[in-house]
């Protein structure tokens, strides 16, 4: 699976993909993540990628031409399943969207800045608009990194224990049960006896009931 991310701040996206699971997934050839500097596609001599808004108002608007040139150059190389624009007014990312997108082949992700991007980019090129939550960030780069992370970890072979993504919170519509590791007694705070019992059926039953209880307390909306 390949991601092409278009941004004016490529440096912001270096670190998130250079560690841990995302780095390993790329090394194993399970995913390719390519970051493109939008400025490289600016046609004017100042390499500017934004302009004043028609009708007045504060802030600059990202222009259509650099996005068009970059997207069209990518599309000339291969087919894309989605062109996703990260924006707070998009549909809110959830596990079901991540699951769905993990089955795709090639995805372009656009990161916005300033006051927004020319509506024509959205009308002409964008197939899907995604928000990571009801708050506004300075740009779409961190949301893009979150989206890619949520998708890549679901690609078969990316996680060493294939079942671990399946038992994640949300994957089965319940939050995860609590987890513990050694020591069994830390300053008098003890690990629940059942986890030390070696009785797998009882452990599974305990985990199911804790997951249900945690979901009931924290996210009752998930149980509806
Ligand atoms: N860009 C700025 N804020 C955002 C958000 N909450 N989700 C996606 N993209 C954004």
């Amino acid at each position: 699976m390949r991601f092409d991310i278009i941004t004016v701040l490529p440096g912001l996206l270096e670190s998130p993909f250079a560690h841990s699971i995302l780095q390993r997934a790329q090394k194993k050839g399970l995913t390719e993540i390519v970051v493109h500097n939008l400025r490289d596609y600016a046609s004017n001599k100042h390499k500017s990628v934004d302009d004043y808004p028609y009708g007045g108002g504060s802030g600059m608007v990202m222009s259509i031409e650099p996005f068009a040139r970059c997207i069209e150059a990518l599309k000339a190389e291969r087919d894309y399943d989605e062109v996703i624009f990260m924006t707070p007014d998009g549909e809110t990312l959830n596990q079901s969207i991540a699951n769905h997108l993990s089955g795709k082949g090639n995805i372009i992700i656009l990161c916005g800045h300033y006051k927004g991007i020319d509506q024509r980019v959205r009308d002409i090129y964008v197939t899907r608009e995604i928000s990571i939550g009801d708050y506004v960030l300075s740009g779409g780069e961190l949301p893009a990194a979150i989206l890619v992370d949520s998708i890549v970890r679901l690609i078969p072979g990316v996680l060493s224990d294939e079942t671990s993504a399946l038992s994640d919170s949300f994957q089965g519509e319940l939050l995860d049960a609590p987890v513990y590791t050694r020591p069994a007694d830390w300053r008098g705070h003890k690990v629940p006896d059942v986890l030390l019992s070696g009785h797998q059926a009882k452990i599974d039953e305990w985990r199911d009931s804790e997951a249900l209880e945690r979901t009931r307390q924290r996210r009752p909306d998930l149980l509806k």
Side-chain angles (χ1 to χ4, degrees), residues 10-176:
L12 255 186
L13 287 166
E14 273 163 24
S15 176
F17 304 134
H19 303 277
S20 183
I21 290 169
L22 287 175
Q23 184 193 45
R24 246 179 303 146
Q26 293 170 88
K27 283 194 173 153
K28 281 192 196 168
L30 295 169
T31 188
E32 197 178 346
I33 304 168
V34 186
V35 177
H36 305 272
N37 189 343
L38 186 65
R39 259 179 233 292
D40 294 343
Y41 297 85
S43 46
N44 54 72
K45 69 172 189 279
H46 299 295
K47 297 277 170 208
S48 71
V49 292
D50 59 352
D51 211 332
Y52 294 97
Y54 275 122
S58 63
M60 302 291 272
V61 176
M62 295 177 81
S63 314
I64 187 167
E65 186 63 21
F67 278 114
R69 286 164 55 126
C70 185
I71 293 167
E72 285 169 12
L74 290 170
K75 284 186 170 175
E77 297 287 324
R78 66 194 68 75
D79 290 332
Y80 285 89
D81 300 296
E82 300 277 6
V83 178
I84 298 173
F85 175 46
M86 304 311 302
T87 174
D89 60 5
E91 56 182 325
T92 308
L93 179 62
N94 58 27
Q95 195 61 45
S96 144
I97 295 174
N99 287 345
H100 174 76
L101 293 174
S102 72
K104 303 281 182 188
N106 301 317
I107 292 179
I108 293 175
I109 302 177
L110 312 182
C111 305
H113 260 268
Y114 319 113
K115 190 81 193 127
I117 67 175
D118 190 308
Q119 180 60 36
R120 290 167 293 185
V121 179
R122 301 167 75 161
D123 294 343
I124 297 167
Y125 295 106
V126 170
T127 60
R128 196 156 187 172
E129 303 194 327
I130 295 180
S131 163
I132 60 159
D134 288 342
Y135 41 86
V136 179
L137 300 172
S138 317
E141 286 76 14
L142 300 179
I146 286 168
L147 176 66
V148 171
D149 187 308
S150 73
I151 296 170
V152 168
R153 59 197 305 286
L154 299 172
I155 298 173
V158 166
L159 295 184
S160 43
D161 176 0
E162 280 240 29
T163 59
S164 75
L166 293 175
S167 67
D168 279 349
S169 281
F170 297 109
Q171 204 56 264
E173 281 146 31
L174 288 185
L175 302 182
D176 266 356

